[in-house]
């Protein structure tokens, strides 16, 4: 299985528009972060987790010619607003499967009503196949995927476990029964927004404590803001099995 980090930034991305923060002016390409998303590929299957406003750029940068579906963690704009840009895939492949909590599907229907229209549909609009997720195992391609139920302040968010790989973003709290789903994981990706505490995201301290509890072989930090600091400086101080993810990084599990 190969995982490509399409974007590793927070909702504003890095650099932030108009910001004079030093990280926003960094020359290190690892400090340039699009909105958060990953591509998960195995055998002949390719799925995207989240489809934010940078989706088109991410697909072009990584030369992704086919997707088998999009899995959504939650409905916030930085995770959903690229849905219209599935059109090239739709024109070649037909209806694109999406997988999301019922609440998220309803939010997409409100924002992208023309995609879900059943009558008088605009001929250039893409179409999707709705797959409603609950907190039960579901299948993508030939693989069973385990949803991990977490909370983003007061909003429910799904993380996902693909065999030995788990992806958790926009997490602030997670119950013990959901943590147990991560037992014996090899590679864990988890959000670490900044150094200072935040009301709806793990900060760096919380993310590292969570990683220490779960004990994966490797862990990668994502959903990062400029306030975390420079990639090179922060990564030097991390435990030896913890890394900061960066855009277009590819890892093999």
């Amino acid at each position: 299985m190969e995982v490509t980090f399409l974007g590793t930034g927070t909702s504003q991305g890095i650099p932030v528009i108009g910001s004079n923060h030093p990280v926003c002016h960094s020359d290190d390409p690892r400090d340039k972060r699009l909105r958060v998303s990953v591509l998960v590929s195995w055998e002949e299957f390719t799925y995207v987790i989240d489809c934010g406003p940078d989706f088109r750029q991410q697909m072009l940068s990584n030369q992704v010619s086919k997707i088998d579906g999009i899995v959504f963690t939650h409905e916030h704009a930085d995770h959903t607003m690229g849905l219209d840009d599935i059109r090239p895939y739709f024109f070649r492949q037909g209806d694109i499967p999406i997988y999301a909590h019922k609440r998220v599907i309803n939010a997409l229907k409100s924002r992208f009503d023309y995609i879900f229209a059943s009558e008088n549909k605009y001929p250039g609009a893409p179409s999707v196949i709705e797959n409603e997720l609950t907190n039960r195992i579901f299948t993508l391609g030939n693989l069973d995927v385990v949803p991990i139920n977490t909370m983003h302040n007061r909003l429910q968010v799904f993380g996902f476990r693909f065999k030995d790989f788990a992806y958790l973003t926009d997490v602030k709290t997670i119950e013990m029964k959901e943590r147990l789903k991560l037992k014996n994981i090899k590679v864990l990706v988890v959000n670490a927004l900044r150094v200072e505490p935040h009301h709806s995201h793990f900060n760096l301290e919380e993310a590292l404590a969570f990683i220490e509890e779960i004990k994966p072989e490797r862990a990668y930090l994502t959903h990062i803001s400029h306030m975390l600091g420079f990639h090179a400086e922060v990564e030097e101080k991390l435990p030896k099995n913890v890394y900061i993810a960066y855009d277009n990084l590819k890892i093999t599990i």
Side-chain angles (χ1 to χ4, degrees):
M1 178 179 291
E2 183 177 78
V3 175
T4 303
F5 289 89
L6 301 172
T8 56
T10 186
S11 57
Q12 297 181 87
I14 305 174
V16 175
I17 295 171
S19 174
N20 288 318
H21 191 282
V23 173
C24 292
H25 294 275
S26 171
D27 292 327
D28 187 340
R30 296 175 299 177
D31 287 323
K32 313 295 184 186
R33 303 184 185 276
L34 300 177
R35 267 60 72 92
V36 69
S37 176
V38 291
L39 188 78
V40 185
S41 302
W42 68 97
E43 298 177 13
E44 70 271 28
F45 301 106
T46 301
Y47 289 87
V48 178
I49 301 181
D50 288 335
C51 179
D54 300 314
F55 178 77
R56 176 180 177 275
Q57 181 178 348
Q58 292 163 340
M59 296 298 97
L60 289 170
S61 296
N62 288 278
Q63 299 180 6
V64 182
S65 60
K66 176 189 78 84
I67 57 172
D68 293 297
I70 301 170
V71 188
F72 289 98
T73 59
H74 64 298
E75 65 268 40
H76 282 169
D78 54 322
H79 297 258
T80 61
M81 291 307 290
L83 187 59
D84 182 76
D85 284 326
I86 65 171
R87 284 181 293 155
Y89 297 110
F90 166 70
F91 295 149
R92 291 194 299 268
Q93 300 174 208
D95 296 3
I96 304 299
I98 63 170
Y99 302 79
H101 190 287
K102 182 177 181 179
R103 182 196 73 244
V104 177
I105 292 176
N106 287 338
L108 294 173
K109 287 180 176 179
S110 176
R111 295 172 186 169
F112 299 95
D113 57 319
Y114 60 94
I115 291 178
F116 294 86
S118 57
E119 296 181 359
N120 299 318
K121 186 166 184 172
Y122 180 71
S127 295
V128 298
I129 301 169
E130 300 171 32
N131 294 274
E132 183 180 319
L133 298 183
T134 61
N135 197 12
R136 295 182 179 180
I137 294 173
F138 63 103
T139 301
L140 295 178
N142 60 0
L143 188 68
D144 287 341
V145 178
V146 181
I148 314 293
N149 206 43
T150 74
M151 295 300 293
H152 180 34
N153 193 3
R154 294 187 295 271
L155 181 68
Q156 179 274 342
V157 172
F158 275 136
F160 302 101
R161 178 172 182 167
F162 296 70
K163 296 179 69 175
D164 293 323
F165 166 74
Y167 181 78
L168 303 176
T169 185
D170 290 50
V171 176
K172 181 62 177 180
T173 57
I174 176 170
E175 294 182 358
M176 182 55 66
K177 65 179 181 179
E178 299 298 315
R179 294 174 186 235
L180 292 175
K181 295 178 180 179
L182 298 169
K183 185 177 180 181
N184 298 323
I185 200 76
K186 289 184 178 179
V187 178
L188 174 66
V189 177
V190 66
N191 63 296
L193 186 73
R194 62 191 193 188
V195 174
E196 296 81 7
H198 189 270
H199 69 279
S200 62
H201 289 275
F202 279 163
N203 68 352
L204 180 59
E205 181 181 7
E206 291 166 329
L208 292 177
F210 182 70
I211 292 166
E212 176 60 27
E213 176 188 340
I214 300 302
K215 292 182 168 43
E217 293 180 6
R218 287 180 285 154
Y220 293 85
L221 306 179
T222 194
H223 207 293
I224 292 161
S225 82
H226 57 293
M227 296 174 69
L228 184 66
F230 292 101
H231 184 288
E233 292 180 3
V234 176
E235 190 166 72
E236 276 188 355
K237 302 173 184 177
L238 296 178
K240 63 180 181 179
N241 67 326
V242 180
Y243 308 89
I244 301 179
Y246 55 89
D247 290 15
N248 304 317
L249 170 66
K250 296 181 186 294
I251 60 173
T252 302
I253 297 96

